[in-house]
Amino acid sequence: MELINTGTELLIGDVINTNAAWLGQRMVDLGVLVQRATIVPDGMAIEEALNEAVRRSDVVIITGGLGPTADDVSREAAAGVLGLALETDPEVMKVLEAIFARSGKLVNEHNQRQALVVKGAHVLANPHGTAPGLHLPASLGAPKGLHCTLFLLPGPPRELKPMMVELVEPIIRGMLPGGTDKECRYFKFTGIGESDISMALQEGLEAIGDLEIGYCLGKGDVDVRLNGPVGALDRAGVFCREKLGEFLVSDDRRLVEEVVVGLLKDRGEWLATAESCTGGFIAHRVTNVSGASGVFGHGLVTYANEAKIQHLGVPAELIEEHGAVSEPVAAAMAEGCLRVSGADHAVAVTGIAGPTGGTSEKPTGTVFIALASKGVPVEVRKRWYRGERERFKILTSQTALDFVRRRLQGYALPNG
């Protein structure tokens, strides 16, 4: 399968091409991998790209180029590649007339172009816009020796997505042999590097057989993407847990904050946060999860030393002796947060985000992460994350949340 996304706005950066990512994910959920995605400008460049795609792929999805203006030429390109005529579809014209009538207007000459249909194509209704989609079965290209199914879909996501889910995906499912027993699963790991994951898993996953294996580095985590039959995926899941269970966040694409909220709900427990260098980013991630209000009550941003003293009860002499970025202060922050919040667990962070403020003893990127839980001694770990401030905050928050996950799942906090 291939994707062709049309629109000059995508190439010059005015619009981010989210359609390719969304379509790729929808397809992989069906057990189909997109082999190539191409972006072309408005105009007849689409015909050149399509002419190449139909000769190497069984299915091509084109988004965009179905509008009323002269540079919307996806229909013309498809007709040209297949050697077919364009004709006005009277039913589509009736729909257009009804849409414009609601605004007291007539369908002008430019909008009438949207009623043009490649001869033999099936019209895909678009209740969210004026441009219908088109399904061109592979049989239409057979006289020219082509055996590729084409889908011409609108570019705006609010029109594309419902058409894809409701009309196109059922067609694609029907094209798969026996409905296919293949799926795609994502095993999300954190706290371990991509190469270490590969070293631990690659040989064993290959031995299972019939699996397509891929690795994708995220923001503080790594996805191991496996595509194959359900049975093989089940065996792979068991293997991944046996080898790297303590690092496994989820096998269903949930982020660590989603897993943490779910675990807290299951246990009927509460989490609180005390943040300095991350400025509330840990709390932000937690509260991005639906249902977080049932497990998260306090998020304290104690950026200044005075705030640590006033709101968390960190002794001033502790800060004076060890510095705000230190193991003792991180521990005091977590213990203070646990005390003032009444939560079951409290995670605290204090560090140097940079690019200034570092020393030879505590370079930029140094952070101390502390976790306190009722009835459990506070634990603190030191980490160092180089890079810009945003990256530092992402990685610090990722580790802090993963420490909570580990505590809730019964894993020890890693020392390294």
Side-chain angles (χ1 to χ4, degrees):
M1 170 177 283
E2 289 193 38
L3 305 179
I4 299 176
N5 303 118
T6 75
T8 302
E9 68 276 8
L10 302 177
L11 289 167
I12 64 176
D14 284 348
V15 175
I16 302 299
N17 183 17
T18 59
N19 284 345
W22 185 82
L23 287 167
Q25 187 56 58
R26 295 298 302 186
M27 289 299 94
V28 84
D29 288 345
L30 292 179
V32 177
L33 289 181
V34 174
Q35 300 297 327
R36 187 181 305 229
T38 305
I39 304 176
V40 296
D42 295 313
M44 292 310 294
I46 175 70
E47 185 166 348
E48 179 181 348
L50 181 58
N51 197 44
E52 295 175 359
V54 295
R55 284 165 170 75
R56 62 183 172 231
S57 296
D58 296 323
V59 178
V60 174
I61 295 176
I62 306 162
T63 67
L66 299 178
T69 59
D71 57 358
D72 291 315
V73 294
S74 291
R75 292 172 292 254
E76 289 81 354
V81 168
L82 299 179
L84 298 172
L86 284 171
E87 54 188 19
T88 297
D89 187 300
E91 295 302 316
V92 175
M93 182 59 74
K94 288 181 182 178
V95 172
L96 287 173
E97 290 171 346
I99 291 172
F100 279 81
R102 287 196 290 268
S103 300
K105 298 179 181 179
L106 297 175
V107 180
N108 63 39
E109 184 179 345
H110 286 186
N111 282 111
Q112 289 175 13
R113 296 184 65 247
Q114 294 182 297
L116 290 174
V117 172
V118 179
K119 188 174 183 178
H122 303 147
V123 173
L124 303 174
N126 181 7
H128 305 280
T130 55
L134 297 177
H135 166 215
L136 285 67
S139 58
L140 294 182
K144 295 194 69 173
L146 303 174
H147 304 283
C148 178
T149 298
L150 300 182
F151 294 95
L152 278 59
L153 307 180
R158 69 180 186 86
E159 301 177 33
L160 165 70
K161 291 182 178 181
M163 186 180 295
M164 184 70 195
V165 173
E166 298 165 14
L167 301 178
V168 177
E169 288 181 16
I171 297 172
I172 293 176
R173 285 194 191 95
M175 296 170 61
L176 299 173
T180 190
D181 68 341
K182 286 191 174 183
E183 291 182 2
C184 188
R185 293 184 192 171
Y186 289 79
F187 295 85
K188 188 179 294 294
F189 296 91
T190 196
I192 183 172
E194 186 177 19
S195 61
D196 291 329
I197 295 173
S198 177
M199 287 287 292
L201 299 182
Q202 187 70 27
E203 186 175 341
L205 291 175
E206 289 177 350
I208 292 174
D210 208 12
L211 287 174
E212 182 172 333
I213 306 165
Y215 301 87
C216 181
L217 183 63
K219 294 182 177 180
D221 53 30
V222 178
D223 282 338
V224 177
R225 185 188 66 251
L226 302 177
N227 186 274
V230 171
L233 292 173
D234 289 341
R235 292 192 295 275
V238 172
F239 176 72
C240 288
R241 288 179 178 83
E242 288 176 349
K243 298 292 288 186
L244 296 175
E246 66 175 299
F247 301 100
L248 181 61
V249 174
S250 67
D251 60 2
D252 54 9
R253 307 206 79 182
R254 283 181 301 158
L255 302 172
V256 65
E257 55 265 37
E258 295 176 286
V259 172
V260 164
V261 169
L263 290 169
L264 289 167
K265 283 182 179 179
D266 292 342
R267 296 164 63 104
E269 295 179 348
W270 288 76
L271 172 68
T273 58
E275 304 180 59
S276 181
C277 54
T278 48
F281 191 62
I282 301 171
H284 167 73
R285 290 181 62 169
V286 172
T287 56
N288 264 352
V289 181
S290 177
S293 60
V295 298
F296 184 78
H298 291 72
L300 303 174
V301 179
T302 54
Y303 207 70
N305 290 345
E306 292 78 5
K308 295 177 179 64
I309 296 167
Q310 179 180 351
H311 298 293
L312 298 175
V314 177
E317 58 271 19
L318 199 67
I319 297 176
E320 184 175 349
E321 179 181 357
H322 299 281
V325 179
S326 63
E327 181 175 334
V329 169
M333 289 173 64
E335 291 172 325
C337 184
L338 193 70
R339 182 178 61 255
V340 302
S341 68
D344 299 282
H345 310 276
V347 64
V349 295
T350 178
I352 307 168
T356 60
T359 65
S360 57
E361 184 180 326
K362 297 176 184 177
T364 297
T366 299
V367 63
F368 290 90
I369 304 171
L371 178 61
S373 299
K374 286 182 177 178
V376 180
V378 64
E379 293 189 68
V380 184
R381 297 292 186 270
K382 180 181 181 181
R383 293 292 185 267
W384 179 66
Y385 299 123
R386 64 181 180 181
E388 70 282 357
R389 291 174 71 89
E390 183 178 2
R391 180 177 186 271
F392 172 87
K393 292 169 74 171
I394 289 171
L395 295 181
T396 297
S397 66
Q398 180 76 12
T399 303
L401 289 167
D402 190 51
F403 282 4
V404 178
R405 175 194 67 85
R406 282 174 166 270
R407 174 67 53 83
L408 296 174
Q409 292 183 332
Y411 294 113
L413 302 193
N415 290 317

